[in-house]
Amino acid sequence: MTASSRPARPAILGPNQYGKAENRVVKITRDGATHHIKDLNVSVSLSGDMDEVHYFGSNANVLPTDTTKNTVYAFAKEYGIESAEQFGIHLARHFVTSQEPIKTARIRIEEYAWERIETSDAGSGSTGGADEARHSFVRKGQETRLTQITYDGETWEVISGLKDLVVMNSTNSEFWGYVKDKYTTLPEAYDRILATEVSGRWRFNWTGDEQKMPDWEKSYDQVRKHMLQAFAETYSLSLQQTLYQMGSRIIENRGEIDEVRFSLPNKHHFLVDLKPFGLENDTADGAVYFAADRPYGLIEATILRDGAEPRIPVDMTNL
Ligand SMILES: O=c1[nH]c(=O)c2[nH]c(=O)[nH]c2[nH]1
């Protein structure tokens, strides 16, 4: 910014961005009587030459947030929604390349999954086979899928992930051999429940080459599968160890990903003392637990491909 476009005041404008947050868009694709749903929550955030509007109220460089909302809906109709990532890339490219003052676009998308309700005669051929109506869905009560696309006209950054995926191992978890000081009361555990609500983000190494674009839908399904398999298959001596196994399984199996970050609350399950009622409560014998909701241990770490730089923010809850 030139000095003349800045007011003679000591207060200087710092980093800023604007856009329309949480555009809820549902796109139905019809394939005969079989319908498909994409249900997204899209947040647009733009930045660039925005000094004049902040200092003087000149809107000459301001594409209205209302227009960014309209673009989300129009793009959903005009181009469809193949995947959240592809949709975000399309939007980010549009804002940066069509508006000179806009230098960077960041598109954040949450995706809510729907599962088809199989009707009782579906597939039986009893009411006409291919014409069978397939338009009923139940919202999946599991995780929310996430993506964030950032484009500055040159560099692409795609970070995808998920939140609210609750998992539990009812055995094959221990925790012992830890530091003990005068405040330590935790009994060592040789067979405990390990449960967490996974919040994870993974960064793609895609650099914008259309020919080398990952298959975003397949990538998500595979990452989720590897992560869950690692959780289930790891004999755990700590949640930290399980976290590393989950991240490294993704890095080792998915070449399109260079960095994974997890935030894992340790959802503690405490053995209930049933001695007052004359009852033993032993893990080996099918025990009763108190599922505590707080406080919880919070285990967080980034796992990187050897040589890659950590870029997923340490505090990723806003992603
Ligand atoms: O897996 C665990 N990691 C810890 O660091 C920890 N600390 C604690 O009290 N319980 C556990 N469990």
Side-chain angles (χ1 to χ4, degrees):
M1 187 184 58
T2 58
S4 59
S5 65
R6 187 195 300 165
R9 290 166 64 173
I12 301 303
L13 180 68
N16 61 89
Q17 53 282 124
Y18 82 106
K20 195 72 96 190
E22 305 212 39
N23 300 284
R24 293 283 289 104
V25 52
V26 175
K27 173 72 174 79
I28 305 295
T29 306
R30 292 188 175 208
D31 175 12
T34 300
H35 294 189
H36 304 274
I37 296 185
K38 278 289 184 189
D39 182 353
L40 308 183
N41 189 15
V42 181
S43 294
V44 176
S45 183
L46 308 175
S47 51
D49 298 335
M50 298 296 156
D51 288 355
E52 299 278 330
V53 62
H54 289 93
Y55 285 133
F56 308 113
S58 163
N59 293 321
N61 284 354
V62 178
L63 182 73
T65 67
D66 190 66
T67 307
T68 68
K69 173 204 70 182
N70 292 344
T71 309
V72 169
Y73 291 104
F75 271 35
K77 180 63 188 164
E78 277 186 272
Y79 307 108
I81 302 173
E82 219 176 88
S83 66
E85 286 85 355
Q86 167 274 335
F87 192 60
I89 287 167
H90 201 171
L91 285 166
R93 183 188 290 117
H94 167 79
F95 291 122
V96 171
T97 56
S98 66
Q99 299 297 324
E100 221 274 314
I102 294 171
K103 304 301 183 199
T104 300
R106 187 195 70 207
I107 312 294
R108 287 181 175 162
I109 303 179
E110 293 190 354
E111 176 171 353
Y112 312 114
W114 292 83
E115 206 164 44
R116 200 172 295 288
I117 299 175
E118 294 300 339
T119 48
S120 50
D121 48 12
S124 69
S126 57
T127 58
D131 288 339
E132 209 101 57
R134 283 165 53 77
H135 55 244
S136 301
F137 301 86
V138 55
R139 171 113 163 233
K140 272 198 187 171
Q142 295 189 25
E143 79 272 16
T144 298
R145 179 173 162 179
L146 308 164
T147 192
Q148 171 180 284
I149 319 296
T150 313
Y151 181 52
D152 63 4
E154 257 175 48
T155 309
W156 289 95
E157 185 185 72
V158 181
I159 297 174
S160 295
L162 55 74
K163 63 178 180 181
D164 303 334
L165 183 65
V166 181
V167 289
M168 174 191 282
N169 285 324
S170 55
T171 188
N172 286 7
S173 166
E174 307 185 13
F175 188 65
W176 49 267
Y178 41 79
V179 173
K180 296 172 190 78
D181 70 6
K182 67 176 180 171
Y183 300 113
T184 304
T185 58
L186 183 75
E188 296 198 320
Y190 298 92
D191 188 358
R192 67 173 186 172
I193 285 178
L194 187 68
T196 186
E197 184 179 298
V198 180
S199 179
R201 305 290 185 276
W202 42 95
R203 181 171 58 76
F204 290 88
N205 49 32
W206 180 67
T207 54
D209 183 343
E210 297 285 333
Q211 308 307 318
K212 296 190 180 150
M213 176 112 50
D215 177 340
W216 306 109
E217 302 291 76
K218 181 175 172 203
S219 178
Y220 180 83
D221 290 344
Q222 289 293 308
V223 168
R224 186 181 188 280
K225 182 191 84 174
H226 287 299
M227 190 178 73
L228 289 178
Q229 284 179 348
F231 177 80
E233 291 164 14
T234 301
Y235 189 104
S236 177
L237 300 177
S238 65
L239 185 51
Q240 288 89 329
Q241 181 199 20
T242 296
L243 183 156
Y244 173 78
Q245 290 298 326
M246 290 163 69
S248 59
R249 192 78 76 98
I250 295 169
I251 295 291
E252 284 160 16
N253 284 280
R254 302 307 307 174
E256 72 274 26
I257 293 166
D258 273 0
E259 178 182 6
V260 182
R261 183 165 176 81
F262 285 118
S263 177
L264 301 181
N266 194 350
K267 293 171 76 72
H268 301 299
H269 289 71
F270 298 113
L271 276 174
V272 181
D273 180 8
L274 297 177
K275 282 199 201 78
F277 320 119
L279 296 169
E280 289 298 318
N281 196 21
D282 197 63
T283 3
D285 194 29
V288 174
Y289 298 85
F290 162 60
D293 69 340
R294 67 193 75 171
Y296 47 88
L298 186 58
I299 311 300
E300 304 183 295
T302 297
I303 314 300
L304 292 158
R305 187 173 298 288
D306 195 5
E309 291 283 314
R311 291 206 212 117
I312 300 173
V314 165
D315 183 0
M316 63 183 191
T317 45
N318 285 328
L319 243 66

